[in-house]
């Protein structure tokens, strides 16, 4: 089977062109291919298919074989793949994932995509839809204690659930794997598990963030998590509406009006790593 390795700010996936390839057991393929010792290595796999509601469909699996609803870094790479490989000649592309359609505008140099701006849709703040087990309608700057540490938590869904914690120290100095795992696996609070973001406000236009993704662990970047972090920051009055988020793998530009009915826009790079062929 042929594949393409790509990343968005270091959030790396193995992309399979299902116009040419057939994957019989997608979950098994995700676990095998994502293994960084015995497979190709990545945060998961993304299958590129013909869309029914959009131009294309991305089918995403995490490294543990669980299905993912949305990946902001991954969807930019899908847009790059379909444009660069002449599956479309349009610079405005629609891509669906688990029924949700996103719209992407790509920027090109020498007829190759170098970055993409994604309409990520409006954030979901209703706790029952995120979902978060709470008696409150929204979870904004709420107290939570895990692993003996007190946090202030804001919860947002960008098609997948996120818990955002603003901390005083640099996230690079925090014990992300310990606390992230506690948040992800706390099904008493997060019945579908959760992606956990730990962020520090630099100033009103810049945030530093690390993320622990459900089903994968720490990744160098998370597009939906970056969007959720900026939404949380704006809701808490910590930043302006246009923010650069500094991740371990690079920077993403996020814009949101502050109106919960308005879309969040994410702009960032999409990069090829290599192509190959593997028996599976």
């Amino acid at each position: 089977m042929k594949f393409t390795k790509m990343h968005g700010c270091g959030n790396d996936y193995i992309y399979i062109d299902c116009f040419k390839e057939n994957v019989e057991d997608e979950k098994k393929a995700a676990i095998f291919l994502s293994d960084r010792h015995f497979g190709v290595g990545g945060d998961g796999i993304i299958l590129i298919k013909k869309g029914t509601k959009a131009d294309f469909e991305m089918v995403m699996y995490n490294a543990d074989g669980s299905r993912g609803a949305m990946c902001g870094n991954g969807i930019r790479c899908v847009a790059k793949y379909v444009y660069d490989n002449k599956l479309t000649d349009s610079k405005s592309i629609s891509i669906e994932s688990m029924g949700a359609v996103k719209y992407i505008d790509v920027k090109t140099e020498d007829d190759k995509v170098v970055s993409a701006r994604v309409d990520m849709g409006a954030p979901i703040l209703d706790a029952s839809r995120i979902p978060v087990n709470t008696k409150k309608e929204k979870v904004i700057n709420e107290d939570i204690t895990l692993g003996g540490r007190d946090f202030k938590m804001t919860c947002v869904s960008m098609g997948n659930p996120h818990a955002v914690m603003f901390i005083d120290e640099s996230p690079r100095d925090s014990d992300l794997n310990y606390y992230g795992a506690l948040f992800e696996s706390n099904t008493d609070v997060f019945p579908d598990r959760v992606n956990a973001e730990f962020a520090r406000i630099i100033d009103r236009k810049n945030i530093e963030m690390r993320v622990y993704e459900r089903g994968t662990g720490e990744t160098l970047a998370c597009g939906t998590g970056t969007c959720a972090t900026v939404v949380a920051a704006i809701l808490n009055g910590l930043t302006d509406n246009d923010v650069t988020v500094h991740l371990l793998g690079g920077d993403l530009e996020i814009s949101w009006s502050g109106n919960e009915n308005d879309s969040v826009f994410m702009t960032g790079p999409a990069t090829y790593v290599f192509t190959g062929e593997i028996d599976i």
Side-chain angles (χ1 to χ4, degrees):
M1 181 181 71
K2 293 181 179 179
F3 66 88
T4 299
K5 177 79 176 287
M6 304 176 71
H7 77 85
C9 291
N11 192 195
D12 59 338
Y13 287 85
I14 300 116
Y15 294 80
I16 301 165
D17 183 344
C18 291
F19 290 86
K20 300 176 181 178
E21 304 289 343
N22 179 51
V23 182
E24 292 185 3
D25 189 331
E26 296 176 354
K27 178 178 179 179
K28 180 180 177 181
I31 295 170
F32 170 68
L33 292 171
S34 299
D35 191 289
R36 296 186 186 275
H37 299 286
F38 299 104
V40 178
D43 293 327
I45 70 170
I46 292 179
L47 311 177
I48 302 171
K49 303 182 179 183
K50 181 176 176 57
T52 56
K53 297 181 179 180
D55 300 329
F56 301 94
E57 180 185 14
M58 59 176 273
V59 179
M60 173 201 168
Y61 287 87
N62 298 305
D64 68 352
S66 60
R67 182 75 186 272
M70 175 50 58
C71 175
N73 291 312
I75 203 169
R76 296 197 313 275
C77 290
V78 172
K80 176 176 175 63
Y81 183 93
V82 298
Y83 184 88
D84 288 3
N85 287 277
K86 310 305 181 186
L87 297 178
T88 181
D89 59 2
S90 176
K91 293 186 179 181
S92 295
I93 302 165
S94 60
I95 299 172
E96 63 182 282
S97 178
M98 290 188 75
V101 178
K102 306 298 182 188
Y103 298 91
I104 303 97
D105 293 318
V106 298
K107 179 182 177 182
T108 63
E109 293 178 5
D110 299 323
D111 205 33
K112 298 293 183 182
V113 172
V114 293
S115 67
R117 184 175 190 260
V118 186
D119 180 343
M120 294 293 290
I124 296 170
L125 304 177
D126 182 349
S128 64
R129 293 175 61 203
I130 292 174
V132 183
N133 287 330
T134 179
K135 294 180 180 179
K136 298 188 176 182
E137 181 180 343
K138 298 176 182 179
V139 178
I140 299 175
N141 201 37
E142 295 293 334
D143 294 324
I144 186 170
T145 301
L146 284 178
R149 179 169 177 176
D150 297 330
F151 293 96
K152 292 287 189 178
M153 175 179 73
T154 298
C155 294
V156 180
S157 173
M158 293 301 307
N160 52 2
H162 295 272
V164 180
M165 280 64 64
F166 293 105
I167 57 179
D168 293 331
E169 76 272 21
S170 169
R172 294 173 186 266
D173 299 328
S174 65
D175 192 350
L176 179 99
N177 287 318
Y178 175 68
Y179 291 109
L182 290 178
F183 272 91
E184 182 209 19
S185 61
N186 189 344
T187 53
D188 290 339
V189 179
F190 311 105
D192 291 342
R193 299 187 295 163
V194 78
N195 302 280
E197 286 79 31
F198 299 85
R200 179 177 71 92
I201 303 296
I202 299 172
D203 56 39
R204 294 197 63 84
K205 294 186 179 297
N206 292 274
I207 296 174
E208 180 185 15
M209 189 265 275
R210 284 174 72 191
V211 57
Y212 191 98
E213 292 197 48
R214 65 174 179 173
T216 301
E218 182 174 16
T219 60
L220 297 182
C222 174
T224 56
T226 305
C227 292
T229 297
V230 173
V231 168
I234 293 170
L235 289 172
N236 284 286
L238 301 175
T239 64
D240 297 338
N241 300 104
D242 299 307
V243 180
T244 300
V245 181
H246 305 278
L247 304 145
L248 293 182
D251 297 345
L252 290 173
E253 307 289 338
I254 310 297
S255 297
W256 186 51
S257 69
N259 184 329
E260 62 185 271
N261 295 315
D262 289 347
S263 289
V264 181
F265 290 91
M266 173 189 62
T267 303
T271 306
Y272 279 124
V273 181
F274 59 85
T275 60
E277 190 168 352
I278 191 169
D279 291 331
I280 185 170

